[in-house]
């Protein structure tokens, strides 16, 4: 069962930063896991609170994170950010 990945405008901009910084392989590995099964652990994920309630965060490395939202009814994973800051 494959899930559809949808990227926000900001996530697409972050992808360019990841490529330049050499983190593309780690991010690509996380995206493959999300496409296969977004609830799979490892890698562990954290549910976010506040403005991003309903979203999950996974580490790309010690500093950078991938923030996504899982839409079960559509079998879609919305990738919100792939860089340092939450917004």
């Amino acid at each position: 069962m494959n899930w559809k990945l949808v990227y926000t405008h900001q996530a697409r901009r972050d992808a360019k930063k990841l490529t330049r910084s050499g983190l593309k392989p780690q991010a690509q590995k996380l995206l493959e896991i999300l496409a296969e099964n977004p609830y799979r652990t490892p890698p562990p994920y954290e549910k976010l609170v506040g403005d991003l309630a309903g979203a999950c965060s996974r580490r790309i490395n010690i500093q950078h994170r991938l923030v996504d939202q899982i839409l079960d009814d559509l079998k879609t994973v919305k990738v919100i950010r792939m860089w340092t800051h939450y917004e």
Side-chain angles (χ1 to χ4, degrees), residues 6-67:
V6 177
Y7 302 92
T8 62
H9 177 71
Q10 188 61 48
R12 290 180 187 171
R13 290 177 54 196
D14 291 345
K16 293 176 186 175
K17 293 178 189 177
L18 285 174
T19 301
R20 282 182 280 171
S21 66
L23 295 172
K24 184 178 178 180
Q26 293 94 321
Q28 191 66 35
K29 185 177 176 183
L30 281 176
L31 292 172
E32 290 171 4
I33 290 170
L34 287 175
E36 182 183 319
N37 180 5
Y39 294 108
R40 179 178 145 196
T41 57
Y45 61 91
E46 302 172 11
K47 294 202 180 257
L48 300 176
V49 296
D51 292 342
L52 290 172
C56 299
S57 171
R58 298 172 193 263
R59 286 190 181 273
I60 296 172
N61 67 4
I62 194 75
Q63 181 181 6
H64 303 291
R65 295 181 167 271
L66 186 145
V67 179

